[in-house]
Amino acid sequence: MQTNPSIHCPRCSSLAVRAKLVEDPGGGQRVSAFACIRCGEAWEFFEAPQFPAPDYSEAYGEAPSLAEEELTLALLATGIDVRTAAALAGRGPAVDSSGHRLVLLRKAAYLDRRARQVELGWFCGRHTRTSTSGASSKALRVAGELVDFDGLHAQVYTEGLYPPHSSVWDGEGGARAYVRQEYQAWQDWERGAAHRRAAFNHLLPEQ
């Protein structure tokens, strides 16, 4: 039996995991659930119950599509590069750490989502073992960069319940789970900010 090193049992950590495949409405197959051959544990494809963090549906259910997010990240990175060059030339302030953190958070979340898509697709024969391992490794590396960034900045920007270097993130995939915690917290803050702006604008006198 072939195993995917990024998908393991949340109860016993075994890699002996069987994927339940169902037919897609548009043709082809997709993963709907997993079951551990060793201990019998079963879980839905979007769940990651081994960590106290949002699952993939909770964290990314209202996120932009991967294509939209890829474009947004490119624009954000370009903007930071332009502002950094201007600052070095004495034509404006430097980009503060909050701007770098937002790009890093969104990049880590994008790569986590992309890797999960590839990991699930591997069970359906849509990706090779090499490409799957590469996507998983890249997601884990950038997630680790976010963990280290938040630790280095004394958790100034963290919003989730558990801090970056908490023991709850120990284990394979813990850094990616931390990304989901922080991405959901950031989205909650963004929605709250939008509601506050709308309420404030409602109080302004009409022109």
Side-chain angles (χ1 to χ4, degrees):
M1 170 185 176
Q2 287 189 316
T3 58
N4 185 328
S6 297
I7 306 290
H8 53 88
C9 177
R11 180 192 291 178
C12 72
S13 298
S14 172
L15 291 174
V17 171
R18 178 179 290 115
K20 179 181 179 181
L21 303 181
V22 297
E23 296 297 321
D24 250 338
Q29 293 181 314
R30 63 177 176 84
V31 175
S32 67
F34 293 103
C36 177
I37 296 174
R38 177 184 292 174
C39 73
E41 180 77 358
W43 64 101
E44 300 295 319
F45 75 96
F46 55 82
E47 294 179 315
Q50 61 268 47
F51 297 107
D55 61 34
Y56 282 87
S57 177
E58 294 167 335
Y60 304 130
E62 297 183 25
S65 69
L66 286 173
E68 290 177 291
E69 191 67 354
E70 187 172 2
L71 176 59
T72 298
L73 282 169
L75 293 173
L76 287 172
T78 299
I80 284 182
D81 289 344
V82 169
R83 290 169 61 192
T84 299
L88 291 173
R91 296 194 304 269
V95 180
D96 62 27
S97 56
S98 64
H100 289 288
R101 201 266 183 176
L102 177 60
V103 173
L104 182 56
L105 170 64
R106 294 185 68 161
K107 180 180 179 182
Y110 167 81
L111 290 172
D112 180 43
R113 294 167 63 196
R114 174 61 183 153
R116 186 66 170 189
Q117 185 183 75
V118 173
E119 290 159 0
L120 295 177
W122 178 84
F123 286 96
C124 304
R126 290 196 290 269
H127 297 280
T128 66
R129 191 171 191 84
T130 299
S131 63
T132 303
S133 177
S136 302
S137 297
K138 189 172 183 180
L140 185 59
R141 176 177 59 79
V142 177
E145 290 176 8
L146 179 69
V147 170
D148 291 342
F149 182 99
D150 284 351
L152 182 64
H153 289 81
Q155 302 168 40
V156 170
Y157 304 114
T158 59
E159 296 286 345
L161 179 62
Y162 297 100
H165 292 293
S166 170
S167 61
V168 302
W169 309 124
D170 291 348
E172 186 71 28
R176 286 172 61 178
Y178 174 75
V179 170
R180 293 193 293 279
Q181 172 190 267
E182 291 303 302
Y183 188 83
Q184 184 187 55
W186 170 69
Q187 285 206 314
D188 289 344
W189 187 91
E190 284 284 292
R191 282 190 289 268
H195 291 154
R196 290 190 293 273
R197 285 193 297 269
F200 177 77
N201 291 335
H202 181 71
L203 295 175
L204 293 176
E206 294 185 5
Q207 299 296 321

